[in-house]
Amino acid sequence: MKLIFEKSVPGRRCTILPACDVESVSLPDSLRREEKPALPEMSETDISRHYTELCKQVHGVNCGFYPLGSCTMKYNPRIDEEMAALPGFAGVHPLSPAQDRKGMQQVLDTAAEYLCQITGMDDMTFQPAAGAHGEFTGVLLIKQYHDARGDKKRTKIIVPDSAHGTNPATAAMCGFDVVNIASGPDGCVDLDALRAALGEDTAGLMLTNPNTVGIFDKNILEITRLVHEAGGLCYYDGANLNAVMGVVRPGDMGFDCIHMNLHKTFATPHGGGGPGAGAVGCKAFLKEFLPHSALAEEPGHIQVRSFQGNFLVVVRALAYLLTLGKEGIPEAAENAVLNANYLMAKLRGTYTPAYDRLCMHEFVLDLSDLKKETGVSALDVAKSLIDEGIHPPTMYFPLIVHEALMLEPTETEGIETLDHAAEVLRKLYHKAFEDAASMHTAPHNMPIGRPDEVQAARKPVLRWKNT
Ligand SMILES: *Cc1c(COP(=O)(O)O)cnc(C)c1O
């Protein structure tokens, strides 16, 4: 596809301004440009077509299936966008007089009340802007708790090897040493490894349950009991709450604080890097350490972002909660689990599930045999899916599974989509034996196929420069 600058035709215009009805004046030469600015010259039709074509290059959940594991790329109901766009919410200024912010406060309080009910927590902050930011806030609660009791020897945070990469990064950023513990063959925390890691220096444990291989840890009560017995606290990474919301509560599993990604489970579109919210909930004994908004002006409190965080993300979450209601929330979770198990069952026999047992909202396939036999990697299969109109699943994560593809179909997909995805994935499996070469170079129908991923992440070129 051509850049808008390449489509430019000298002299072409789309005049939308009325005729000038004031006297025109000429600027003195000293204030004038020496060269014309490098702006594209186009007709309105061509501009409209250009942006529509650009729009078609993007795969969103509105274009097709998007089974990106751990990320919950589910359909976000339009009504939540409409609520966030209401002028009273969209236009509220955090420094406006308190009586003008009453509606805003009510939204925050109500959302906190419902989300506390869902997670089994006692209080909540919406300040953090993302999941990783929420983790940072949550682990700071743990740090403040130990510090406040004068317990300075607790320097370690335990993280299982199946954890999201942000967990060890968070612990390190908060100044803790990270202790990695291996998962057992069943994908769950190895209790002996946990016991061996626990001690007087344990500040806490960070855990996702169901974990990143989509398995609910059956020993969760024993795990949190052991950590508490050692004097540590338990942090729940609830970035993705899709399997458990309204069904089981992290608070009842023994967790002391948690974050949720409102932009995954609770109706804010994400994936393009827009605003999010990593709501952090905690039990009552940690409440005093929660961040306060800048307006509270209480010294000694952490503050991780200005004011109340991304307020409109909370509006969407509350609209979502109110629309689904007490019955709809667990039903969504049950359907997410049902869809994941359905898709896994459809693929079993062709692909190898990394852990072949009932999964929660997502599951991981292990493609190492396919790679050994055909040379076709998980990356090749993922790239080939793009040509079929399906967004690749999460790849090479979690790290404990080699050649991993992690699929999360979500509850908003119908049976036809799941059947079609299973059919396409099976077709690609067989293609690997017949035409591996074309899979190594897929996708073939996209403007960009195989970017240098390291360069693209570290040195992205996001802007065209006029040379
Ligand atoms: C997405 C995710 C995170 C990080 O959330 P961000 O909003 O991207 O910072 C943390 N943990 C898990 C399990 C996740 O899936």
Side-chain angles (χ1 to χ4, degrees):
M1 163 172 186
K2 279 188 178 171
L3 297 173
I4 197 166
F5 297 98
E6 293 166 331
K7 291 179 181 169
S8 171
V9 179
R12 188 148 301 166
R13 290 284 178 276
C14 51
T15 307
I16 47 170
L17 297 174
C20 184
D21 61 357
V22 293
E23 193 190 334
S24 72
V25 287
S26 278
L27 289 173
D29 276 354
S30 64
L31 295 178
R32 299 175 81 135
R33 293 172 186 271
E34 282 164 15
E35 282 169 32
K36 284 211 290 184
L39 296 174
E41 299 173 75
M42 296 179 88
S43 71
E44 187 170 330
T45 321
D46 290 338
I47 294 173
S48 167
R49 287 193 183 141
H50 177 75
Y51 284 104
T52 306
E53 198 184 344
L54 265 184
C55 180
K56 285 196 229 157
Q57 308 293 328
V58 178
H59 186 99
V61 78
N62 301 79
C63 313
F65 193 36
Y66 204 144
L68 193 68
S70 204
C71 294
T72 308
M73 303 303 286
K74 60 183 174 186
Y75 174 78
N76 300 294
R78 284 297 156 263
I79 189 168
D80 305 329
E81 290 303 314
E82 284 168 26
M83 294 304 110
L86 287 175
F89 291 143
V92 65
H93 194 285
L95 290 177
S96 55
Q99 73 264 24
D100 292 354
R101 282 184 279 111
K102 274 191 181 153
M104 176 189 193
Q105 199 53 51
Q106 202 178 341
V107 167
L108 292 166
D109 293 346
T110 315
E113 184 192 330
Y114 292 163
L115 290 169
C116 280
Q117 273 177 28
I118 287 174
T119 54
M121 294 291 141
D122 299 316
D123 209 341
M124 188 159 290
T125 175
F126 293 116
Q127 235 181 49
H133 201 192
E135 288 173 37
F136 180 70
T137 310
V139 173
L140 283 184
L141 298 187
I142 295 179
K143 194 183 179 86
Q144 292 176 92
Y145 168 79
H146 292 309
D147 283 353
R149 298 164 74 242
D151 196 347
K152 303 278 184 201
K153 61 189 178 302
R154 300 196 176 267
T155 54
K156 292 185 177 154
I157 294 271
I158 300 172
V159 181
D161 59 3
S162 65
H164 196 267
T166 49
N167 293 182
T170 293
M173 275 195 67
C174 292
F176 289 107
D177 297 327
V178 180
V179 182
N180 243 298
I181 52 168
S183 303
D186 58 356
C188 297
V189 170
D190 180 337
L191 288 179
D192 289 333
L194 176 63
R195 277 191 203 97
L198 285 168
E200 287 203 330
D201 55 1
T202 302
L205 164 86
M206 295 181 86
L207 200 76
T208 308
N209 192 31
N211 62 17
T212 59
V213 295
I215 288 175
F216 190 90
D217 203 311
K218 58 187 185 308
N219 299 319
I220 192 60
L221 292 175
E222 181 63 5
I223 292 169
T224 52
R225 193 190 66 75
L226 286 170
V227 175
H228 286 147
E229 194 178 68
L233 297 188
C234 298
Y235 182 87
Y236 183 90
D237 177 344
N240 183 334
L241 220 63
N242 234 32
V244 296
M245 57 177 180
V247 182
V248 286
R249 312 193 313 163
D252 298 335
M253 298 181 210
F255 287 93
D256 304 297
C257 54
I258 110 164
H259 87 269
M260 282 167 282
N261 283 18
L262 300 189
H263 51 288
K264 282 181 183 168
T265 312
F266 298 101
T268 285
H270 62 290
V280 170
C282 66
K283 290 277 177 72
F285 73 97
L286 289 173
K287 182 181 160 148
E288 59 180 302
F289 305 116
L290 279 174
H292 280 206
S293 96
L295 291 176
E297 283 179 3
E298 285 176 49
H301 272 280
I302 60 165
Q303 193 196 335
V304 295
R305 202 170 182 280
S306 53
F307 304 113
Q308 308 277 13
N310 286 325
F311 170 62
L312 295 178
V313 177
V314 185
V315 173
R316 288 182 183 87
L318 181 59
Y320 183 79
L321 290 169
L322 290 171
T323 324
L324 268 70
K326 231 180 173 139
E327 296 77 31
I329 292 289
E331 193 183 331
E334 282 157 15
N335 286 337
V337 172
L338 178 64
N339 276 1
N341 279 285
Y342 180 79
L343 189 57
M344 181 164 81
K346 283 246 148 186
L347 294 171
R348 188 184 284 126
T350 308
Y351 290 91
T352 314
Y355 301 92
D356 199 357
R357 45 186 275 207
L358 210 63
C359 67
M360 291 289 121
H361 57 303
E362 62 194 2
F363 59 94
V364 178
L365 299 175
D366 179 341
L367 274 67
S368 36
D369 284 348
L370 184 69
K371 186 166 183 203
K372 241 177 265 153
E373 288 170 41
T374 66
V376 167
S377 64
L379 177 75
D380 295 335
V381 172
K383 293 284 187 187
S384 301
L385 278 171
I386 298 174
D387 281 336
E388 303 282 346
I390 294 178
H391 193 283
T394 297
M395 303 178 292
Y396 299 104
F397 176 76
L399 303 175
I400 50 176
V401 179
H402 299 291
E403 294 302 321
L405 284 185
M406 178 196 221
L407 291 100
E408 180 182 3
T410 84
E411 75 282 8
T412 57
E413 299 299 339
I415 193 164
E416 296 81 10
T417 306
L418 302 180
D419 285 342
H420 174 68
E423 195 183 307
V424 168
L425 276 160
R426 283 197 299 257
K427 184 177 86 182
L428 292 177
Y429 185 90
H430 297 301
K431 192 173 177 187
F433 290 88
E434 288 148 20
D435 185 10
S438 87
M439 291 181 72
H440 292 319
T441 51
H444 302 285
N445 303 333
M446 290 289 131
I448 298 173
R450 301 227 173 189
D452 178 329
E453 294 186 6
V454 176
Q455 289 293 314
R458 297 279 181 270
K459 290 186 186 155
V461 182
L462 303 174
R463 225 181 110 224
W464 176 81
K465 275 203 195 114
N466 187 18
T467 47

